Amino acid sequence: MPGMGGRMSTVIKSKISRLLDRAEDPGETLDYGYQKQVELLQNVKKGIADVVTSKKRLQMQSSKLEQQVVKLDTQARQALSQGREDLARMALERKTLAQTELQSLDGQIKELENQQEQLIANEQKLRTKIEQFRTKKEVIKAQYSAAEAQVRISEAANGVGEQMADLGLAIQRAEDKTETMRARASAVEELEQAGAFEDLTQLGGGQDDIDRQLAELTSGAEVDSELAKIKAELGSGGGDAPALEQGEKEGSA
Amino acid sequence: MIVRVSGEGQYRLPDSDAERLNELDNRAVAAVEQGDETGFKELWNQMLELVASDGNELPIEELVESDVILPPRDITFAEAQGEFTGEGLIPD
């Protein structure tokens, strides 16, 4: 095509032809190309499997946090009904943090899920294309060895070669994306494992994490209002009222 | 002329589109070089629209070499930047 010198297309085209320059025996190249594609697709599949595993672990973490939230809430109520507002407050502080953590974790899980779906769809599309390529490759090889109409065949071989290179490029790209995803998933997972969740139960003792202290400050109001809510609930129950009054005295002292 | 959208398929376009495509292509690369993501996206969409409106998709059985190979449809700006500053979709 005379006059085609667009720079974007030139870069891609030269890459593709560079891939094809390695071609000597077309049949061999096509077989090798196919084999390479299958291998690369295996990597994509493995990558997806890892992302799924990470996601599952995060989901388990998430349900542990949910249980923690329920437990802390119960503890806060128990503490308050026994007049221990200090303990109730501590439990509610932890509960607020656990909820924040839970929210962010669930967001990350959801994002992982979306990306995972895309990766899987992409993998399936590529698998179909590789299968199509396999069929085409056999046709070309048969034609080539029959040595009929060499010119037309070499043109077709270039065509299929280009397709092979392009498919290779697409798989490579899918692999890169999967790899990025895998890295991100395992980073989130590591953060979860090493991080905040374990510390939540230690809260109050030797907290030096600035982020968490800030979170505590902002959650203070939330804790207060929740405390008031539980008090009201317990108060309206009637039976616990004396203990509650005692708790209030202690709290204000 | 035959245009391939990488990772997708081939299209037959009238030869008269070459100049327009070429121009868009060069402007898209210029946008990438200037770090103009919006401009790049806009131009890239125009290129894809040109292929969609003027092109006929080649049947999968047809085996021809492309005159033009465009990047994958969903190329990101970061990928485009890598692509046109040395590091490409395929490592050199």
Side-chain angles (χ1 to χ4, degrees):
Chain A
M1 187 76 228
M4 271 318 295
R7 287 165 60 199
M8 190 151 67
S9 34
T10 312
V11 170
I12 309 265
K13 196 161 164 65
S14 77
K15 285 190 175 191
I16 288 207
S17 45
R18 218 175 312 155
L19 279 182
L20 288 177
D21 280 345
R22 292 164 205 163
E24 280 170 23
D25 173 354
E28 229 173 72
T29 310
L30 293 178
D31 284 343
Y32 175 75
Y34 171 71
Q35 206 187 316
K36 200 84 195 148
Q37 287 168 4
V38 172
E39 277 170 26
L40 275 171
L41 196 67
Q42 285 299 325
N43 290 346
V44 173
K45 277 180 89 167
K46 268 184 228 154
I48 293 173
D50 286 350
V51 172
V52 172
T53 310
S54 284
K55 195 195 71 186
K56 278 188 186 148
R57 290 212 196 101
L58 289 176
Q59 278 168 334
M60 275 165 62
Q61 197 77 287
S62 164
S63 60
K64 262 164 84 181
L65 267 176
E66 263 169 46
Q67 286 166 15
Q68 187 78 2
V69 167
V70 173
K71 190 179 148 199
L72 286 167
D73 187 73
T74 312
Q75 285 177 336
R77 282 160 196 277
Q78 281 171 351
L80 206 52
S81 69
Q82 283 162 36
R84 291 294 305 272
E85 184 169 334
D86 55 333
L87 276 182
R89 184 175 289 276
M90 202 184 285
L92 287 178
E93 273 166 9
R94 288 183 195 171
K95 184 190 154 192
T96 316
L97 288 179
Q99 274 171 327
T100 312
E101 177 77 5
L102 187 62
Q103 256 175 21
S104 120
L105 190 58
D106 284 348
Q108 273 157 332
I109 290 171
K110 206 163 187 189
E111 198 193 326
L112 270 186
E113 214 151 57
N114 287 340
Q115 305 241 16
Q116 175 201 325
E117 274 168 27
Q118 281 174 23
L119 292 176
I120 289 173
N122 202 4
E123 191 266 337
Q124 281 164 350
K125 209 174 83 190
L126 287 171
R127 194 169 353 133
T128 312
K129 285 198 166 181
I130 291 176
E131 192 45 42
Q132 284 169 345
F133 172 72
R134 191 187 64 85
T135 316
K136 205 176 290 180
K137 160 182 86 90
E138 292 310 318
V139 173
I140 292 290
K141 273 167 66 185
Q143 283 177 350
Y144 196 84
S145 40
E148 288 165 10
Q150 279 294 348
V151 176
R152 248 197 76 218
I153 286 159
S154 95
E155 214 169 83
N158 284 342
V160 86
E162 178 190 306
Q163 216 163 62
M164 177 186 85
D166 186 52
L167 184 52
L169 204 140
I171 301 170
Q172 182 100 50
R173 195 158 170 261
E175 201 200 1
D176 288 350
K177 275 191 181 170
T178 313
E179 198 47 56
T180 310
M181 212 44 237
R182 170 156 61 179
R184 198 189 301 172
S186 72
V188 174
E189 206 188 316
E190 265 172 43
L191 211 72
E192 271 307 306
Q193 273 167 0
F197 178 63
E198 300 305 326
D199 289 348
L200 277 175
T201 52
Q202 309 293 321
L203 200 119
Q207 274 297 313
D208 58 355
D209 178 359
I210 291 171
D211 281 343
R212 188 147 306 136
Q213 287 186 18
L214 285 172
E216 259 180 77
L217 279 179
T218 51
S219 73
E222 210 174 312
V223 169
D224 283 341
S225 79
E226 205 161 342
L227 206 55
K229 205 180 85 190
I230 298 176
K231 274 185 196 172
E233 276 175 34
L234 291 174
S236 69
D240 291 323
L244 187 64
E245 271 166 34
Q246 195 191 337
E248 271 171 339
K249 270 176 218 145
E250 251 174 51
S252 58
Chain B
M1 92 177 145
I2 307 292
V3 177
R4 175 184 291 280
V5 178
S6 182
E8 194 171 309
Q10 289 174 299
Y11 300 84
R12 192 185 301 277
L13 269 76
D15 284 359
S16 53
D17 276 343
E19 209 178 310
R20 172 93 182 114
L21 203 57
N22 208 350
E23 184 216 327
L24 287 170
D25 186 334
N26 286 331
R27 281 171 60 200
V29 174
V32 169
E33 279 166 354
Q34 286 157 20
D36 175 9
E37 184 167 356
T38 319
F40 168 74
K41 290 237 157 99
E42 171 62 25
L43 288 158
W44 176 228
N45 279 332
Q46 284 183 37
M47 289 172 83
L48 289 172
E49 272 164 29
L50 185 68
V51 173
S53 65
D54 290 9
N56 287 313
E57 190 165 4
L58 291 190
I60 187 95
E61 311 80 53
E62 202 152 337
L63 300 167
V64 285
E65 210 176 337
S66 306
D67 300 300
V68 177
I69 303 179
L70 298 179
R73 179 174 293 272
D74 60 347
I75 186 170
T76 62
F77 188 64
E79 277 179 318
Q81 278 179 317
E83 190 64 47
F84 309 123
T85 54
E87 253 182 272
L89 291 172
I90 309 173
D92 286 319

